Amino acid sequence: MIFTDKSTKKLVPYVTGGIVDGWADYVCAFADNGADAIEIGLPFSDPMLDGPTIQEASDRALANGTTLDGILRDLSKISVEVPLIVMTYANLAVRAGFCDRLAEAGIRGLIVPDAPLDEVGPIRDAANAAGLDLIPLAAPSTTADRRREITASAQGFVYAVTVLGTTGERDALDPAANALASSLRALTDLPVLLGFGVSTPEHAAAAVRDADGVVVASALMRRLMDGAGPDALGAVVGNIRKAI
Amino acid sequence: MTIMSEPAGLGRFGEYGGRFVPESLVPACEQVEAAFREAWVDAGFRAELHELLTVYAGRPTPITPARRLSAELGLTLLLKREDLAHTGSHKINNVLGQALLARRMGKRRLLAETGAGQHGVAAATASALLGLECVVYMGERDVARQAPNVRRMRMLGARIVPVGTGSRTLKDATNEALRGWVADTAEAYYCIGSVMGPHPYPWMVREFQSVIGTEARAQVETVPDLVVACVGGGSNAAGTFTGFADTTARLVGVEAAGGAAMTNGTPGVLHGYHSMVLQDENGQITEAESIAAGLDYPGIGPEHAHLGAIGRVGYATVGDAEVVEAVHRLARTEGIIPALESAHALAWIIREAGELAGQTVLMTLSGRGDKDMEMFE
Ligand SMILES: Cc1ncc(COP(=O)(O)O)c(C=O)c1O
């Protein structure tokens, strides 16, 4: 179980592993500023579902020589209480022993955006065998039947994607987002978190009117790449915490 | 059972294939699959496609015996002339099929990725013909090295989106086209240019390209000893092989040495499908590097991975220098300037000629070389 209850709204900030030396300090700063869990991006060369900000973050991390080993080594040097979740693409997730290594390093959940319901089975089996939750995504275009199947097999939480599109900051929260969150909440007892384009405390506040929480990624990564340090980015997370 | 039949389950050719796309794209893939299944058994659709292939694209393309080169090589070389199809390559076969499908589905816009620009030109052409908008994603490096095709696409009314991420070639153009599609599934149809991508594309594109193999099988008097085609994503080869997979002919696919997913790759997931891909020890996709933009691709269609695994098709590689030589050789002996991509098949035949003495070799000449002339200056 990644979250023990649904009585409070969940905040899950994201950081691309290896984006800068000392990137794990951002994980600590997020934890210190009210994060309920932290999503760590394991960079992939071909991030199909990511917009320009996370693409650039991934490129920078890979240019720094980031590997799974390196990320797990950096994480072993910090200690945070909140669950850590890894987000990466199928080509990395299907590699032999992948889930075991995450689990050994204390990771609690896995998100694989390009492994839909029909393809995720083997990855979920490997994740579960290692003791990881496999967190599924659902989109505004997901049919009612699939929403039912996705929620029925979901673990950890359900990641509701606010838009038909890639990750990236947006001016406004898509109206489809809250409707999707409500429909998913009616199908599962697990928390439903909205992510993709949740860019401001106002967006987050609007999202949690119908969702159990939010995932915030691009808005943080843009500031990080513009030079914001752990304290500054922790403060941004803190402001979103207050808003929800 | 025939060897190149319909894939099982969710687009499985043996263990390869599948539909590794975000949930947000699943409904769009399902709609394309349903529409294709319906259209492909609809005599009206087949007749309309046949009509366009005939009166517009110039099919059937002939088989030309390469007499002087055959004499030099000591074998009988037959060229299936896809270079003579409208727009100058086999890409038009697939695009006419998909553009008709897009119109039938009520879509307004075709999205396409392109490497050499041949698929982009074909997509722009079919869009103009059928009154669709066309957006072509192309790596910045390819925009620079295939400038004549960029000009052609613009003249045909397509909007070019240069892609500046990653290796700035076909791989990155494909990522960006997929991203563009996720955000635009209601109005846009993603017209993939080869036997790759999520199910149903590898199967559908092969079916649209099977016209090459079907025609060739009917055009040759006897089954050739050997059938050879170049392989980027693998569409001209797959289309050709459909006509011969169930015969005694030996089948060979020729990859660029710098983009040889079959020869140097390992199993992985790229662009929505599970196949052989070029990747490093950490699972990061590596950049292909070939003189032929259309073969500069780190993956290969899943059906090829399967045909290789079961041993029905052999895969070989040739390097840039042999390819350039092969272009010159065909130009001087036969008066045909092949595309750099197509010249890969020829370069392999020239290299192996000693072993192939006396055999009849059918080669698919997938496209013409006009687009490459700047590379020879
Ligand atoms: C002339 C020509 N041949 C071959 C290819 C490679 O594609 P495929 O392997 O799908 O036939 C291309 C791709 O751009 C091309 O333009």
Side-chain angles (χ1 to χ4, degrees), chain B residues 175-210:
Chain B
N175 288 329
E176 204 56 27
L178 283 161
R179 292 180 192 121
W181 194 30
V182 180
D184 193 18
T185 50
E187 296 205 336
Y189 175 94
Y190 182 21
C191 178
I192 298 187
S194 191
V195 286
M196 56 179 206
H199 181 56
Y201 286 94
W203 169 50
M204 174 169 69
V205 174
R206 181 200 79 195
E207 291 294 284
F208 286 140
Q209 290 294 3
S210 67

PDB file of all heavy atoms in Angstrom, chain B residues 175-210:
ATOM      1  N   ASN B 175       8.681   9.767 -32.609  1.00  0.00           N
ATOM      2  CA  ASN B 175       8.224  10.160 -31.266  1.00  0.00           C
ATOM      3  C   ASN B 175       7.314  11.373 -31.346  1.00  0.00           C
ATOM      4  O   ASN B 175       6.257  11.430 -30.722  1.00  0.00           O
ATOM      5  CB  ASN B 175       9.416  10.529 -30.370  1.00  0.00           C
ATOM      6  CG  ASN B 175      10.236   9.323 -29.957  1.00  0.00           C
ATOM      7  OD1 ASN B 175       9.707   8.236 -29.823  1.00  0.00           O
ATOM      8  ND2 ASN B 175      11.525   9.515 -29.771  1.00  0.00           N
ATOM      9  N   GLU B 176       7.748  12.372 -32.119  1.00  0.00           N
ATOM     10  CA  GLU B 176       7.008  13.624 -32.167  1.00  0.00           C
ATOM     11  C   GLU B 176       5.664  13.438 -32.883  1.00  0.00           C
ATOM     12  O   GLU B 176       4.662  14.049 -32.503  1.00  0.00           O
ATOM     13  CB  GLU B 176       7.855  14.696 -32.866  1.00  0.00           C
ATOM     14  CG  GLU B 176       7.516  16.114 -32.520  1.00  0.00           C
ATOM     15  CD  GLU B 176       7.561  16.453 -31.027  1.00  0.00           C
ATOM     16  OE1 GLU B 176       8.298  15.808 -30.257  1.00  0.00           O
ATOM     17  OE2 GLU B 176       6.825  17.378 -30.639  1.00  0.00           O
ATOM     18  N   ALA B 177       5.638  12.579 -33.894  1.00  0.00           N
ATOM     19  CA  ALA B 177       4.371  12.300 -34.582  1.00  0.00           C
ATOM     20  C   ALA B 177       3.402  11.617 -33.618  1.00  0.00           C
ATOM     21  O   ALA B 177       2.205  11.943 -33.588  1.00  0.00           O
ATOM     22  CB  ALA B 177       4.625  11.431 -35.809  1.00  0.00           C
ATOM     23  N   LEU B 178       3.910  10.689 -32.811  1.00  0.00           N
ATOM     24  CA  LEU B 178       3.050  10.026 -31.822  1.00  0.00           C
ATOM     25  C   LEU B 178       2.515  11.042 -30.811  1.00  0.00           C
ATOM     26  O   LEU B 178       1.342  11.020 -30.446  1.00  0.00           O
ATOM     27  CB  LEU B 178       3.825   8.914 -31.093  1.00  0.00           C
ATOM     28  CG  LEU B 178       4.016   7.619 -31.902  1.00  0.00           C
ATOM     29  CD1 LEU B 178       5.141   6.773 -31.325  1.00  0.00           C
ATOM     30  CD2 LEU B 178       2.713   6.805 -31.939  1.00  0.00           C
ATOM     31  N   ARG B 179       3.379  11.970 -30.391  1.00  0.00           N
ATOM     32  CA  ARG B 179       2.933  13.014 -29.454  1.00  0.00           C
ATOM     33  C   ARG B 179       1.880  13.893 -30.109  1.00  0.00           C
ATOM     34  O   ARG B 179       0.897  14.296 -29.470  1.00  0.00           O
ATOM     35  CB  ARG B 179       4.119  13.872 -29.014  1.00  0.00           C
ATOM     36  CG  ARG B 179       5.105  13.124 -28.142  1.00  0.00           C
ATOM     37  CD  ARG B 179       6.282  14.030 -27.737  1.00  0.00           C
ATOM     38  NE  ARG B 179       7.335  13.241 -27.144  1.00  0.00           N
ATOM     39  CZ  ARG B 179       8.595  13.164 -27.606  1.00  0.00           C
ATOM     40  NH1 ARG B 179       8.972  13.861 -28.659  1.00  0.00           N
ATOM     41  NH2 ARG B 179       9.476  12.401 -26.998  1.00  0.00           N
ATOM     42  N   GLY B 180       2.095  14.198 -31.376  1.00  0.00           N
ATOM     43  CA  GLY B 180       1.119  15.016 -32.085  1.00  0.00           C
ATOM     44  C   GLY B 180      -0.216  14.302 -32.192  1.00  0.00           C
ATOM     45  O   GLY B 180      -1.281  14.915 -32.046  1.00  0.00           O
ATOM     46  N   TRP B 181      -0.147  12.997 -32.386  1.00  0.00           N
ATOM     47  CA  TRP B 181      -1.386  12.211 -32.531  1.00  0.00           C
ATOM     48  C   TRP B 181      -2.142  12.136 -31.208  1.00  0.00           C
ATOM     49  O   TRP B 181      -3.372  12.278 -31.178  1.00  0.00           O
ATOM     50  CB  TRP B 181      -1.037  10.815 -33.052  1.00  0.00           C
ATOM     51  CG  TRP B 181      -2.212  10.036 -33.550  1.00  0.00           C
ATOM     52  CD1 TRP B 181      -3.359  10.530 -34.123  1.00  0.00           C
ATOM     53  CD2 TRP B 181      -2.358   8.604 -33.535  1.00  0.00           C
ATOM     54  NE1 TRP B 181      -4.196   9.489 -34.472  1.00  0.00           N
ATOM     55  CE2 TRP B 181      -3.611   8.309 -34.120  1.00  0.00           C
ATOM     56  CE3 TRP B 181      -1.545   7.556 -33.103  1.00  0.00           C
ATOM     57  CZ2 TRP B 181      -4.073   6.999 -34.269  1.00  0.00           C
ATOM     58  CZ3 TRP B 181      -2.000   6.252 -33.258  1.00  0.00           C
ATOM     59  CH2 TRP B 181      -3.250   5.981 -33.832  1.00  0.00           C
ATOM     60  N   VAL B 182      -1.440  11.902 -30.098  1.00  0.00           N
ATOM     61  CA  VAL B 182      -2.104  11.832 -28.784  1.00  0.00           C
ATOM     62  C   VAL B 182      -2.985  13.059 -28.572  1.00  0.00           C
ATOM     63  O   VAL B 182      -4.091  12.970 -28.032  1.00  0.00           O
ATOM     64  CB  VAL B 182      -1.092  11.770 -27.612  1.00  0.00           C
ATOM     65  CG1 VAL B 182      -1.835  11.698 -26.282  1.00  0.00           C
ATOM     66  CG2 VAL B 182      -0.168  10.599 -27.724  1.00  0.00           C
ATOM     67  N   ALA B 183      -2.497  14.215 -29.017  1.00  0.00           N
ATOM     68  CA  ALA B 183      -3.207  15.461 -28.741  1.00  0.00           C
ATOM     69  C   ALA B 183      -4.278  15.768 -29.786  1.00  0.00           C
ATOM     70  O   ALA B 183      -4.976  16.767 -29.678  1.00  0.00           O
ATOM     71  CB  ALA B 183      -2.200  16.606 -28.679  1.00  0.00           C
ATOM     72  N   ASP B 184      -4.416  14.919 -30.788  1.00  0.00           N
ATOM     73  CA  ASP B 184      -5.254  15.294 -31.932  1.00  0.00           C
ATOM     74  C   ASP B 184      -5.993  14.089 -32.522  1.00  0.00           C
ATOM     75  O   ASP B 184      -6.254  14.040 -33.729  1.00  0.00           O
ATOM     76  CB  ASP B 184      -4.321  15.911 -33.004  1.00  0.00           C
ATOM     77  CG  ASP B 184      -5.065  16.637 -34.112  1.00  0.00           C
ATOM     78  OD1 ASP B 184      -6.247  16.972 -33.921  1.00  0.00           O
ATOM     79  OD2 ASP B 184      -4.458  16.850 -35.181  1.00  0.00           O
ATOM     80  N   THR B 185      -6.343  13.115 -31.677  1.00  0.00           N
ATOM     81  CA  THR B 185      -6.895  11.873 -32.240  1.00  0.00           C
ATOM     82  C   THR B 185      -8.269  12.070 -32.885  1.00  0.00           C
ATOM     83  O   THR B 185      -8.652  11.300 -33.752  1.00  0.00           O
ATOM     84  CB  THR B 185      -7.016  10.769 -31.167  1.00  0.00           C
ATOM     85  OG1 THR B 185      -7.680  11.311 -30.039  1.00  0.00           O
ATOM     86  CG2 THR B 185      -5.674  10.227 -30.765  1.00  0.00           C
ATOM     87  N   ALA B 186      -9.000  13.088 -32.456  1.00  0.00           N
ATOM     88  CA  ALA B 186     -10.349  13.254 -33.014  1.00  0.00           C
ATOM     89  C   ALA B 186     -10.302  13.574 -34.499  1.00  0.00           C
ATOM     90  O   ALA B 186     -11.069  13.026 -35.289  1.00  0.00           O
ATOM     91  CB  ALA B 186     -11.103  14.347 -32.254  1.00  0.00           C
ATOM     92  N   GLU B 187      -9.386  14.454 -34.887  1.00  0.00           N
ATOM     93  CA  GLU B 187      -9.382  14.898 -36.283  1.00  0.00           C
ATOM     94  C   GLU B 187      -8.251  14.313 -37.113  1.00  0.00           C
ATOM     95  O   GLU B 187      -8.316  14.316 -38.339  1.00  0.00           O
ATOM     96  CB  GLU B 187      -9.239  16.420 -36.327  1.00  0.00           C
ATOM     97  CG  GLU B 187     -10.428  17.135 -35.704  1.00  0.00           C
ATOM     98  CD  GLU B 187     -10.597  18.528 -36.261  1.00  0.00           C
ATOM     99  OE1 GLU B 187      -9.600  19.093 -36.748  1.00  0.00           O
ATOM    100  OE2 GLU B 187     -11.730  19.027 -36.217  1.00  0.00           O
ATOM    101  N   ALA B 188      -7.210  13.821 -36.447  1.00  0.00           N
ATOM    102  CA  ALA B 188      -6.024  13.399 -37.195  1.00  0.00           C
ATOM    103  C   ALA B 188      -5.942  11.877 -37.285  1.00  0.00           C
ATOM    104  O   ALA B 188      -6.351  11.155 -36.380  1.00  0.00           O
ATOM    105  CB  ALA B 188      -4.765  13.944 -36.536  1.00  0.00           C
ATOM    106  N   TYR B 189      -5.390  11.444 -38.376  1.00  0.00           N
ATOM    107  CA  TYR B 189      -5.089  10.032 -38.596  1.00  0.00           C
ATOM    108  C   TYR B 189      -3.570   9.939 -38.683  1.00  0.00           C
ATOM    109  O   TYR B 189      -2.941  10.697 -39.439  1.00  0.00           O
ATOM    110  CB  TYR B 189      -5.732   9.562 -39.905  1.00  0.00           C
ATOM    111  CG  TYR B 189      -5.356   8.148 -40.257  1.00  0.00           C
ATOM    112  CD1 TYR B 189      -6.164   7.084 -39.891  1.00  0.00           C
ATOM    113  CD2 TYR B 189      -4.157   7.874 -40.930  1.00  0.00           C
ATOM    114  CE1 TYR B 189      -5.792   5.777 -40.181  1.00  0.00           C
ATOM    115  CE2 TYR B 189      -3.783   6.580 -41.212  1.00  0.00           C
ATOM    116  CZ  TYR B 189      -4.599   5.532 -40.842  1.00  0.00           C
ATOM    117  OH  TYR B 189      -4.232   4.243 -41.111  1.00  0.00           O
ATOM    118  N   TYR B 190      -2.971   9.014 -37.932  1.00  0.00           N
ATOM    119  CA  TYR B 190      -1.519   8.857 -38.018  1.00  0.00           C
ATOM    120  C   TYR B 190      -1.193   7.826 -39.093  1.00  0.00           C
ATOM    121  O   TYR B 190      -1.520   6.650 -38.973  1.00  0.00           O
ATOM    122  CB  TYR B 190      -0.941   8.441 -36.661  1.00  0.00           C
ATOM    123  CG  TYR B 190       0.578   8.312 -36.668  1.00  0.00           C
ATOM    124  CD1 TYR B 190       1.356   8.955 -37.628  1.00  0.00           C
ATOM    125  CD2 TYR B 190       1.241   7.562 -35.711  1.00  0.00           C
ATOM    126  CE1 TYR B 190       2.731   8.842 -37.637  1.00  0.00           C
ATOM    127  CE2 TYR B 190       2.628   7.453 -35.711  1.00  0.00           C
ATOM    128  CZ  TYR B 190       3.363   8.091 -36.688  1.00  0.00           C
ATOM    129  OH  TYR B 190       4.731   7.980 -36.713  1.00  0.00           O
ATOM    130  N   CYS B 191      -0.546   8.313 -40.145  1.00  0.00           N
ATOM    131  CA  CYS B 191      -0.214   7.488 -41.307  1.00  0.00           C
ATOM    132  C   CYS B 191       1.247   7.052 -41.175  1.00  0.00           C
ATOM    133  O   CYS B 191       2.157   7.778 -41.579  1.00  0.00           O
ATOM    134  CB  CYS B 191      -0.432   8.327 -42.561  1.00  0.00           C
ATOM    135  SG  CYS B 191      -0.033   7.496 -44.094  1.00  0.00           S
ATOM    136  N   ILE B 192       1.472   5.883 -40.580  1.00  0.00           N
ATOM    137  CA  ILE B 192       2.836   5.409 -40.346  1.00  0.00           C
ATOM    138  C   ILE B 192       3.435   4.898 -41.655  1.00  0.00           C
ATOM    139  O   ILE B 192       2.744   4.291 -42.470  1.00  0.00           O
ATOM    140  CB  ILE B 192       2.857   4.313 -39.256  1.00  0.00           C
ATOM    141  CG1 ILE B 192       2.345   4.903 -37.925  1.00  0.00           C
ATOM    142  CG2 ILE B 192       4.258   3.729 -39.077  1.00  0.00           C
ATOM    143  CD1 ILE B 192       2.478   3.972 -36.730  1.00  0.00           C
ATOM    144  N   GLY B 193       4.725   5.142 -41.826  1.00  0.00           N
ATOM    145  CA  GLY B 193       5.355   4.910 -43.113  1.00  0.00           C
ATOM    146  C   GLY B 193       5.996   3.559 -43.315  1.00  0.00           C
ATOM    147  O   GLY B 193       6.512   3.273 -44.397  1.00  0.00           O
ATOM    148  N   SER B 194       5.994   2.708 -42.290  1.00  0.00           N
ATOM    149  CA  SER B 194       6.611   1.406 -42.490  1.00  0.00           C
ATOM    150  C   SER B 194       5.892   0.380 -41.622  1.00  0.00           C
ATOM    151  O   SER B 194       4.913   0.697 -40.951  1.00  0.00           O
ATOM    152  CB  SER B 194       8.103   1.468 -42.158  1.00  0.00           C
ATOM    153  OG  SER B 194       8.738   0.270 -42.595  1.00  0.00           O
ATOM    154  N   VAL B 195       6.394  -0.855 -41.654  1.00  0.00           N
ATOM    155  CA  VAL B 195       5.726  -1.946 -40.926  1.00  0.00           C
ATOM    156  C   VAL B 195       6.122  -1.920 -39.453  1.00  0.00           C
ATOM    157  O   VAL B 195       6.617  -2.894 -38.898  1.00  0.00           O
ATOM    158  CB  VAL B 195       6.035  -3.320 -41.554  1.00  0.00           C
ATOM    159  CG1 VAL B 195       5.274  -3.497 -42.847  1.00  0.00           C
ATOM    160  CG2 VAL B 195       7.540  -3.481 -41.809  1.00  0.00           C
ATOM    161  N   MET B 196       5.912  -0.768 -38.835  1.00  0.00           N
ATOM    162  CA  MET B 196       6.283  -0.599 -37.431  1.00  0.00           C
ATOM    163  C   MET B 196       5.138   0.085 -36.713  1.00  0.00           C
ATOM    164  O   MET B 196       4.063   0.269 -37.267  1.00  0.00           O
ATOM    165  CB  MET B 196       7.545   0.234 -37.357  1.00  0.00           C
ATOM    166  CG  MET B 196       7.386   1.565 -38.069  1.00  0.00           C
ATOM    167  SD  MET B 196       8.883   2.523 -37.949  1.00  0.00           S
ATOM    168  CE  MET B 196       8.236   4.171 -38.103  1.00  0.00           C
ATOM    169  N   GLY B 197       5.369   0.451 -35.444  1.00  0.00           N
ATOM    170  CA  GLY B 197       4.332   1.104 -34.665  1.00  0.00           C
ATOM    171  C   GLY B 197       3.430   0.088 -33.998  1.00  0.00           C
ATOM    172  O   GLY B 197       3.630  -1.117 -34.094  1.00  0.00           O
ATOM    173  N   PRO B 198       2.403   0.602 -33.295  1.00  0.00           N
ATOM    174  CA  PRO B 198       1.483  -0.278 -32.565  1.00  0.00           C
ATOM    175  C   PRO B 198       0.542  -1.014 -33.516  1.00  0.00           C
ATOM    176  O   PRO B 198       0.252  -0.533 -34.616  1.00  0.00           O
ATOM    177  CB  PRO B 198       0.702   0.699 -31.679  1.00  0.00           C
ATOM    178  CG  PRO B 198       0.737   2.005 -32.423  1.00  0.00           C
ATOM    179  CD  PRO B 198       2.078   2.037 -33.115  1.00  0.00           C
ATOM    180  N   HIS B 199       0.062  -2.173 -33.093  1.00  0.00           N
ATOM    181  CA  HIS B 199      -0.971  -2.888 -33.825  1.00  0.00           C
ATOM    182  C   HIS B 199      -2.146  -1.954 -34.097  1.00  0.00           C
ATOM    183  O   HIS B 199      -2.553  -1.249 -33.184  1.00  0.00           O
ATOM    184  CB  HIS B 199      -1.435  -4.085 -32.968  1.00  0.00           C
ATOM    185  CG  HIS B 199      -2.481  -4.923 -33.613  1.00  0.00           C
ATOM    186  ND1 HIS B 199      -2.324  -5.509 -34.843  1.00  0.00           N
ATOM    187  CD2 HIS B 199      -3.738  -5.256 -33.196  1.00  0.00           C
ATOM    188  CE1 HIS B 199      -3.419  -6.187 -35.152  1.00  0.00           C
ATOM    189  NE2 HIS B 199      -4.288  -6.045 -34.173  1.00  0.00           N
ATOM    190  N   PRO B 200      -2.702  -1.852 -35.282  1.00  0.00           N
ATOM    191  CA  PRO B 200      -2.559  -2.769 -36.415  1.00  0.00           C
ATOM    192  C   PRO B 200      -1.536  -2.361 -37.459  1.00  0.00           C
ATOM    193  O   PRO B 200      -1.497  -2.954 -38.543  1.00  0.00           O
ATOM    194  CB  PRO B 200      -3.950  -2.705 -37.050  1.00  0.00           C
ATOM    195  CG  PRO B 200      -4.309  -1.256 -36.933  1.00  0.00           C
ATOM    196  CD  PRO B 200      -3.763  -0.845 -35.563  1.00  0.00           C
ATOM    197  N   TYR B 201      -0.729  -1.308 -37.194  1.00  0.00           N
ATOM    198  CA  TYR B 201       0.092  -0.759 -38.275  1.00  0.00           C
ATOM    199  C   TYR B 201       1.041  -1.764 -38.946  1.00  0.00           C
ATOM    200  O   TYR B 201       1.098  -1.812 -40.174  1.00  0.00           O
ATOM    201  CB  TYR B 201       0.853   0.482 -37.792  1.00  0.00           C
ATOM    202  CG  TYR B 201      -0.057   1.685 -37.658  1.00  0.00           C
ATOM    203  CD1 TYR B 201      -0.652   2.004 -36.444  1.00  0.00           C
ATOM    204  CD2 TYR B 201      -0.362   2.486 -38.758  1.00  0.00           C
ATOM    205  CE1 TYR B 201      -1.504   3.094 -36.321  1.00  0.00           C
ATOM    206  CE2 TYR B 201      -1.215   3.579 -38.647  1.00  0.00           C
ATOM    207  CZ  TYR B 201      -1.779   3.876 -37.427  1.00  0.00           C
ATOM    208  OH  TYR B 201      -2.627   4.954 -37.316  1.00  0.00           O
ATOM    209  N   PRO B 202       1.821  -2.551 -38.200  1.00  0.00           N
ATOM    210  CA  PRO B 202       2.755  -3.444 -38.908  1.00  0.00           C
ATOM    211  C   PRO B 202       2.042  -4.389 -39.876  1.00  0.00           C
ATOM    212  O   PRO B 202       2.532  -4.666 -40.976  1.00  0.00           O
ATOM    213  CB  PRO B 202       3.434  -4.219 -37.767  1.00  0.00           C
ATOM    214  CG  PRO B 202       3.322  -3.313 -36.577  1.00  0.00           C
ATOM    215  CD  PRO B 202       1.976  -2.641 -36.736  1.00  0.00           C
ATOM    216  N   TRP B 203       0.896  -4.843 -39.468  1.00  0.00           N
ATOM    217  CA  TRP B 203       0.103  -5.744 -40.311  1.00  0.00           C
ATOM    218  C   TRP B 203      -0.543  -4.983 -41.467  1.00  0.00           C
ATOM    219  O   TRP B 203      -0.455  -5.381 -42.629  1.00  0.00           O
ATOM    220  CB  TRP B 203      -0.955  -6.427 -39.438  1.00  0.00           C
ATOM    221  CG  TRP B 203      -2.008  -7.184 -40.162  1.00  0.00           C
ATOM    222  CD1 TRP B 203      -1.809  -8.118 -41.142  1.00  0.00           C
ATOM    223  CD2 TRP B 203      -3.425  -7.079 -39.981  1.00  0.00           C
ATOM    224  NE1 TRP B 203      -3.026  -8.604 -41.564  1.00  0.00           N
ATOM    225  CE2 TRP B 203      -4.020  -7.983 -40.868  1.00  0.00           C
ATOM    226  CE3 TRP B 203      -4.234  -6.311 -39.136  1.00  0.00           C
ATOM    227  CZ2 TRP B 203      -5.416  -8.133 -40.957  1.00  0.00           C
ATOM    228  CZ3 TRP B 203      -5.612  -6.466 -39.207  1.00  0.00           C
ATOM    229  CH2 TRP B 203      -6.192  -7.363 -40.108  1.00  0.00           C
ATOM    230  N   MET B 204      -1.161  -3.864 -41.152  1.00  0.00           N
ATOM    231  CA  MET B 204      -1.874  -3.076 -42.165  1.00  0.00           C
ATOM    232  C   MET B 204      -0.914  -2.578 -43.250  1.00  0.00           C
ATOM    233  O   MET B 204      -1.214  -2.675 -44.443  1.00  0.00           O
ATOM    234  CB  MET B 204      -2.575  -1.892 -41.491  1.00  0.00           C
ATOM    235  CG  MET B 204      -3.230  -0.935 -42.464  1.00  0.00           C
ATOM    236  SD  MET B 204      -4.296   0.244 -41.613  1.00  0.00           S
ATOM    237  CE  MET B 204      -3.085   1.233 -40.742  1.00  0.00           C
ATOM    238  N   VAL B 205       0.228  -2.047 -42.832  1.00  0.00           N
ATOM    239  CA  VAL B 205       1.177  -1.517 -43.817  1.00  0.00           C
ATOM    240  C   VAL B 205       1.694  -2.660 -44.699  1.00  0.00           C
ATOM    241  O   VAL B 205       1.852  -2.513 -45.908  1.00  0.00           O
ATOM    242  CB  VAL B 205       2.323  -0.757 -43.123  1.00  0.00           C
ATOM    243  CG1 VAL B 205       3.379  -0.324 -44.136  1.00  0.00           C
ATOM    244  CG2 VAL B 205       1.775   0.451 -42.360  1.00  0.00           C
ATOM    245  N   ARG B 206       1.939  -3.821 -44.097  1.00  0.00           N
ATOM    246  CA  ARG B 206       2.347  -4.977 -44.911  1.00  0.00           C
ATOM    247  C   ARG B 206       1.269  -5.327 -45.931  1.00  0.00           C
ATOM    248  O   ARG B 206       1.570  -5.609 -47.087  1.00  0.00           O
ATOM    249  CB  ARG B 206       2.604  -6.191 -44.020  1.00  0.00           C
ATOM    250  CG  ARG B 206       3.062  -7.397 -44.823  1.00  0.00           C
ATOM    251  CD  ARG B 206       2.845  -8.687 -44.059  1.00  0.00           C
ATOM    252  NE  ARG B 206       1.468  -9.139 -44.110  1.00  0.00           N
ATOM    253  CZ  ARG B 206       0.950 -10.065 -43.311  1.00  0.00           C
ATOM    254  NH1 ARG B 206       1.686 -10.613 -42.365  1.00  0.00           N
ATOM    255  NH2 ARG B 206      -0.306 -10.439 -43.433  1.00  0.00           N
ATOM    256  N   GLU B 207       0.019  -5.318 -45.494  1.00  0.00           N
ATOM    257  CA  GLU B 207      -1.064  -5.641 -46.417  1.00  0.00           C
ATOM    258  C   GLU B 207      -1.108  -4.643 -47.574  1.00  0.00           C
ATOM    259  O   GLU B 207      -1.274  -5.040 -48.725  1.00  0.00           O
ATOM    260  CB  GLU B 207      -2.409  -5.675 -45.680  1.00  0.00           C
ATOM    261  CG  GLU B 207      -2.549  -6.842 -44.712  1.00  0.00           C
ATOM    262  CD  GLU B 207      -2.580  -8.186 -45.430  1.00  0.00           C
ATOM    263  OE1 GLU B 207      -3.613  -8.538 -46.026  1.00  0.00           O
ATOM    264  OE2 GLU B 207      -1.534  -8.867 -45.397  1.00  0.00           O
ATOM    265  N   PHE B 208      -0.942  -3.352 -47.262  1.00  0.00           N
ATOM    266  CA  PHE B 208      -0.964  -2.353 -48.337  1.00  0.00           C
ATOM    267  C   PHE B 208       0.264  -2.498 -49.245  1.00  0.00           C
ATOM    268  O   PHE B 208       0.202  -2.169 -50.426  1.00  0.00           O
ATOM    269  CB  PHE B 208      -1.049  -0.931 -47.764  1.00  0.00           C
ATOM    270  CG  PHE B 208      -2.418  -0.581 -47.216  1.00  0.00           C
ATOM    271  CD1 PHE B 208      -2.550   0.153 -46.043  1.00  0.00           C
ATOM    272  CD2 PHE B 208      -3.577  -0.966 -47.883  1.00  0.00           C
ATOM    273  CE1 PHE B 208      -3.805   0.489 -45.550  1.00  0.00           C
ATOM    274  CE2 PHE B 208      -4.846  -0.634 -47.384  1.00  0.00           C
ATOM    275  CZ  PHE B 208      -4.956   0.098 -46.212  1.00  0.00           C
ATOM    276  N   GLN B 209       1.377  -2.966 -48.716  1.00  0.00           N
ATOM    277  CA  GLN B 209       2.579  -3.139 -49.547  1.00  0.00           C
ATOM    278  C   GLN B 209       2.628  -4.504 -50.225  1.00  0.00           C
ATOM    279  O   GLN B 209       3.488  -4.741 -51.079  1.00  0.00           O
ATOM    280  CB  GLN B 209       3.855  -2.947 -48.702  1.00  0.00           C
ATOM    281  CG  GLN B 209       4.115  -1.515 -48.246  1.00  0.00           C
ATOM    282  CD  GLN B 209       4.425  -0.542 -49.383  1.00  0.00           C
ATOM    283  OE1 GLN B 209       4.405  -0.911 -50.561  1.00  0.00           O
ATOM    284  NE2 GLN B 209       4.706   0.693 -49.030  1.00  0.00           N
ATOM    285  N   SER B 210       1.712  -5.393 -49.872  1.00  0.00           N
ATOM    286  CA  SER B 210       1.771  -6.742 -50.455  1.00  0.00           C
ATOM    287  C   SER B 210       1.536  -6.708 -51.963  1.00  0.00           C
ATOM    288  O   SER B 210       1.849  -7.673 -52.664  1.00  0.00           O
ATOM    289  CB  SER B 210       0.759  -7.671 -49.780  1.00  0.00           C
ATOM    290  OG  SER B 210      -0.559  -7.242 -50.085  1.00  0.00           O
TER     291      SER B 210
END
